[in-house]
Amino acid sequence: VKGQPDMADGAARLVPGPAPIASDSGESAYPDPPAPESAPLRGAHLLAASAPAVTTLPPAPPAAQEQEPLTDTQLTALVAERRFDAAHAGLAARLARDPDDMTALLLNSYILIERQRFVEATELARRALERDAWSLDALLLLGLAAKWRNDHAAATQAFKQAVYAQPECWPAHYYLGEAYRAQGETTLARRAWQATVRILTEDPAAPTGLRIVPLAVPRAQILFLCQRRLQSEPHAPAADATARSLGSS
């Protein structure tokens, strides 16, 4: 019966169809079926689902380049504008690089004087003087720090050295006169004020002589104050002779 197994050839065929045709060699004319693909491991999909996800991190940013320190001009401008916090940060960076940085020492000393930290200001001014014993800026800062500490003898010594280093530094003459006055040395005070008046009268725009520190000293007010001091302070004939010699020099 068609479609039933043929018991005579001893091969049970479940699928109806023609029997395979034998070749001369006795092999089957049909090629062997392809080998089945390997079955996936049971539960592999569960393992994949439970495996932790690999997080790909973004590439690390390039190392930040060290910020260039502020220049002398930039630092002096910040101090002149009284932007002391910004200036102090820049000065600290400069001193970290070079503890003997002259500009940083002087400007930092000036800021400390403005902030009434006179002992620290004195230390920095002395460090600057160790590098340059004739630094007018350092000498004037040393005198100012002493003046505001009421150490008039130390202030006098510093201002005298400043005048010797730069005879036309009228702020040094003025402050020297104030230091003498605080000690009752009227004649010497008048001599210093006379020098201040002479310099500012000959040249109302006379430079201070300072190279780094932007000392804010109003010329017109200083000139007026010295003139008032000379009119009101008692004086001796010797002081008048000294004043005339200074005025004619």
Side-chain angles (χ1 to χ4, degrees):
V1 180
K2 189 174 183 179
Q4 296 299 319
D6 187 355
M7 302 304 294
D9 59 12
R13 292 186 290 107
L14 298 179
V15 180
I21 301 173
S23 63
D24 295 340
S25 62
E27 296 178 354
S28 173
Y30 292 113
D32 294 332
E37 296 181 359
S38 299
L41 295 174
R42 180 175 297 177
H45 65 290
L46 297 177
L47 291 173
S50 61
V54 178
T55 303
T56 303
L57 297 175
Q65 295 183 350
E66 186 179 355
Q67 187 176 4
E68 288 294 322
L70 298 179
T71 65
D72 290 5
T73 301
Q74 291 171 323
L75 288 169
T76 304
L78 289 174
V79 174
E81 295 167 4
R82 303 187 68 80
R83 296 168 58 187
F84 295 146
D85 289 338
H88 185 74
L91 293 169
R94 287 272 294 262
L95 287 173
R97 283 191 167 200
D98 180 7
D100 293 327
D101 187 321
M102 194 70 167
T103 298
L105 288 172
L106 293 171
L107 291 178
N108 225 356
S109 178
Y110 180 73
I111 290 175
L112 291 171
I113 288 174
E114 289 287 341
R115 290 178 168 174
Q116 300 184 27
R117 293 163 60 180
F118 305 123
V119 175
E120 296 166 88
T122 299
E123 180 185 350
L124 293 181
R126 285 177 175 162
R127 282 172 56 187
L129 282 173
E130 290 174 0
R131 290 200 60 194
D132 181 2
W134 294 102
S135 169
L136 178 63
D137 296 66
L139 290 169
L140 201 65
L141 290 171
L142 197 64
L144 289 172
K147 166 184 167 62
W148 294 115
R149 291 199 319 269
N150 292 321
D151 187 349
H152 302 298
T156 300
Q157 183 63 26
F159 292 135
K160 283 174 65 175
Q161 287 181 278
V163 168
Y164 186 76
Q166 176 53 266
E168 296 301 303
C169 178
W170 55 268
H173 283 289
Y174 166 70
Y175 286 121
L176 178 59
E178 294 296 294
Y180 278 135
R181 178 174 182 264
Q183 298 173 89
E185 298 284 353
T186 305
T187 300
L188 295 176
R190 288 179 57 84
R191 183 183 303 172
W193 294 328
Q194 283 283 353
T196 307
V197 170
R198 175 183 60 80
I199 295 169
L200 290 178
T201 301
E202 292 177 357
D203 182 6
T208 63
L210 299 172
R211 297 180 57 188
I212 295 173
V213 176
L215 187 66
V217 184
R219 290 169 173 78
Q221 293 182 23
I222 293 298
L223 177 60
F224 176 76
L225 184 57
C226 287
Q227 290 170 336
R228 287 288 302 271
R229 288 268 197 268
L230 291 169
Q231 292 173 1
S232 61
E233 295 291 337
H235 59 278
D240 291 336
T242 301
R244 285 194 298 272
S245 63
L246 287 172
S248 58
S249 59

